[in-house]
Amino acid sequence: MAHGTELVFEYGSPAVARTVARSVAVEAGDIDGDRSGAAVDRDGATVTVTVDAADLTALRAGTNTWLTLLEVAERVADAAGG
């Protein structure tokens, strides 16, 4: 793919990062399309989502999608107590 970005998020503990990463990782293969794709990785308390796209419009759309997914996962992790 011609364009890409990395979204890197630091959490208060590896357990919270694991919860967020597991919550969004299941979407990585499901919402990939012909013009974009993503991968989710976790290292300790850090979650990284790499978005790759064929063009800037697809990159923007993919980035917005993943930011929304991460935001929801963070809210659920907070509501569940961390």
Side-chain angles (χ1 to χ4, degrees):
M1 302 264 177
H3 303 279
T5 192
E6 280 189 350
L7 309 172
V8 181
F9 298 87
E10 294 280 335
Y11 294 97
S13 71
V16 173
R18 182 175 46 253
T19 299
V20 171
R22 285 181 178 173
S23 296
V24 299
V26 297
E27 303 294 339
D30 289 343
I31 61 174
D32 289 350
D34 293 340
R35 295 173 47 209
S36 67
V40 179
D41 295 304
R42 183 183 66 86
D43 183 17
T46 303
V47 175
T48 303
V49 177
T50 305
V51 181
D52 294 309
D55 55 70
L56 292 175
T57 301
L59 181 62
R60 180 182 50 82
T63 299
N64 288 338
T65 296
W66 283 96
L67 287 172
T68 301
L69 290 171
L70 285 159
E71 180 182 8
V72 170
E74 290 169 357
R75 280 196 243 152
V76 170
D78 285 344

